[in-house]
Amino acid sequence: MKKLMDDLQSGKGLAGTLLKNDQLATNAQEIADNLAIATSNLNRLGLWRFLWHREPAQTNEIKQKP
């Protein structure tokens, strides 16, 4: 256990790197957040709509009445 803790403190391995590198830890958290959103959408929409659902393009154009 002591060796494991020493390796973590020195930044060895994936867990040690995440503890020592703030940018990598932030990126890993963003990936986890995006995966949570994706799985939520997959559960809500189903596979077909999840993969091929397209949001309408948003524009700043003002529609003119004919």
Side-chain angles (χ1 to χ4, degrees):
M1 191 64 157
K2 171 98 170 90
K3 178 157 175 32
L4 178 64
M5 295 306 290
D6 290 340
D7 287 348
L8 283 173
Q9 289 294 328
S10 66
K12 290 183 181 175
L14 178 60
T17 303
L18 286 172
L19 288 173
K20 293 292 183 178
N21 186 329
D22 291 337
Q23 183 62 45
L24 186 58
T26 300
N27 290 348
Q29 183 60 51
E30 287 178 6
I31 290 169
D33 292 343
N34 288 337
L35 284 173
I37 292 169
T39 55
S40 173
N41 288 339
L42 183 58
N43 287 333
R44 187 171 48 88
L45 299 173
L47 181 61
W48 186 259
R49 285 190 56 210
F50 174 75
L51 293 176
W52 286 277
H53 180 70
R54 300 278 193 268
E55 292 290 328
Q58 295 195 5
T59 64
N60 292 331
E61 296 177 18
I62 299 173
K63 293 185 178 182
Q64 302 278 331
K65 290 184 180 180

